[in-house]
Amino acid sequence: MNPPDEDQRRSLMAIPWFAGQAPEQAAALIKAGRLIRRGAGEWLHGEGDEETGLLAVLEGRLKLYCQAPGEREVMIAIMPPGAVMGQSATFGGGPRLLTVIAAADSIVFTLSDRALRQAAADHPGVWRDLAGLLYLQLSTILQLVAVLTALPPRARLAARLLQLEQNLGVADVSQGDLAEMVGVTRKAINGWLGEMARKGWVRLGYGRVEILKPAALRGVVAG
Amino acid sequence: MNPPDEDQRRSLMAIPWFAGQAPEQAAALIKAGRLIRRGAGEWLHGEGDEETGLLAVLEGRLKLYCQAPGEREVMIAIMPPGAVMGQSATFGGGPRLLTVIAAADSIVFTLSDRALRQAAADHPGVWRDLAGLLYLQLSTILQLVAVLTALPPRARLAARLLQLEQNLGVADVSQGDLAEMVGVTRKAINGWLGEMARKGWVRLGYGRVEILKPAALRGVVAG
DNA sequence: GACCAACTGTAACCCAGGTGACGTTCCGCC
DNA sequence: GGCGGAACGTCACCTGGGTTACAGTTGGTC
């Protein structure tokens, strides 16, 4: 719950979304925000924080859960360091839409909507960049929707793996989490990953999947 | 391609998103926009228009298609009159993300990002309302993602029907379109709708589904 | 070093839904 | 009033993945 120190400011400035802004504006935003720490498995907010605003992962990893009808919660994404998210937990008066849980010990930069508005008073460009961020998120999720409706399960798995590795070569996910995200059972995931491993496309680890042949996965996605 | 006339301005002002804004601001936005007409089946843009901005349906009905990997296009939503959408067809340099096609003869209000920025110069509140709109869309699509990953196919169908009827009691969709949105074959849709019809939950028509017992559908969604 | 929790591998059975193809009914247009 | 295209209803076969339950591993913790 502290303002970022010098080191952390530098890390934040390196995040693409901030890096793309006018330097003074980014600095102002960073100054207005707060850092919070969460241990693995901890719930992100809930202490009366404003629940609408921005979220940026500095260290660790956040799991995003979304409320589905019938008491279910689905994990829809995992945010790695550097990811930025515009969030509005309560909008339109409905129940909480998004639940954010730390998957590992994490340091997260948060910026409430109020702080955002204040910063925007001095730097009107904030609004444009916020809109840009939201547009970007919209396209990401839209893409997700397309994948979910159009692709058969195995292709969905491949798409998810590619999305999770993000050129890192490794996706840090358990097969159980993958199953939840893809919307199938862990058994199915396990079987398909086994196939892929036999073909030499991936190497399986404990809570991780190493992608050896991304091109092959892309082939599966394309059908 | 004309500015809205008096009547149409009134219709636009009645759309919730505009209605929620400061009247002068909404008026300025409406004045800055353009109306376009499209016949059923026509492609919405493509004549070199700016492709980022706002879209509001005045009359008719728009189908939203999203590009999925492997040359596939999935219909993800149908916009009824009154729906507003922030769109950014090309963002991040990728290929076209969203394709908009008129499902019936339609009149659509469009507002380019440039016009939006100009209007925002006089009425800074525009940005806040735009962000609000985008947040709202984000939650809608997020909800869609949750439904798609967590729910079994029949529940997805029920959820879609409820979403499409919007308290009108009738969903104007063909079974083929439903199939595409739910991500199953038309045959499956046909069977399930048949079941529901036998139970008296819905009445089937040509290119339409009349919802008689929304509560029963909600039950299916909840599982 | 021992323990516990989380994660991974696997089995037999079953049913939902996909495939591909066909005839029929409905709507709008000429 | 007839025609063409779109939407609906149905068939037989078959694969894929769900279900449930258990055993073997890994890694972190005390």
Side-chain angles (χ1 to χ4, degrees), chain A residues 153-154 183-188 192 206:
Chain A
R154 327 162 85 100
V184 296
T185 56
R186 190 179 60 76
K187 176 197 174 323
W192 303 332
Y206 186 82

Side-chain angles (χ1 to χ4, degrees), chain A residues 28-76:
Chain A
L29 285 178
I30 290 172
K31 201 172 161 196
R34 290 287 175 273
L35 283 178
I36 58 183
R37 271 164 199 285
R38 287 293 184 273
E42 275 180 27
W43 223 104
L44 202 69
H45 27 221
E47 301 156 21
D49 309 1
E50 273 205 31
E51 300 194 332
T52 312
L54 268 182
L55 213 73
V57 184
L58 252 188
E59 276 179 32
R61 202 163 273 274
L62 300 182
K63 291 189 191 178
L64 265 47
Y65 288 84
C66 187
Q67 187 81 30
E71 309 291 297
R72 295 170 164 286
E73 293 222 319
V74 233
M75 184 192 324
I76 55 164

Side-chain angles (χ1 to χ4, degrees), chain A residues 66-142:
Chain A
C66 187
Q67 187 81 30
E71 309 291 297
R72 295 170 164 286
E73 293 222 319
V74 233
M75 184 192 324
I76 55 164
I78 296 183
M79 291 176 69
V84 182
M85 190 189 73
Q87 59 154 6
S88 63
T90 57
F91 217 100
R96 163 181 297 304
L97 186 73
L98 217 49
T99 303
V100 184
I101 294 179
D105 292 0
S106 305
I107 302 180
V108 182
F109 173 82
T110 64
L111 191 56
S112 72
D113 241 11
R114 190 156 35 87
L116 210 56
R117 268 196 294 277
Q118 277 168 12
D122 294 334
H123 305 274
V126 162
W127 289 116
R128 209 204 42 227
D129 289 311
L130 179 64
L133 178 64
L134 292 175
Y135 272 135
L136 202 58
Q137 279 177 36
L138 220 42
S139 25
T140 307
I141 307 190
L142 227 46

Side-chain angles (χ1 to χ4, degrees), chain B residues 153-155 157-158 161 175 186-204 209-210 212-213 216-217 220:
Chain B
R154 328 163 84 99
L157 170 60
L161 284 174
Q175 299 184 1
R186 190 177 59 76
K187 174 193 175 329
I189 294 287
N190 182 276
W192 302 333
L193 284 179
E195 275 176 30
M196 291 182 185
R198 268 194 299 285
K199 289 183 192 158
W201 296 357
V202 301
R203 190 186 343 242
L204 302 180
V209 181
E210 218 172 314
L212 304 175
K213 303 234 170 95
L217 293 188
V220 173

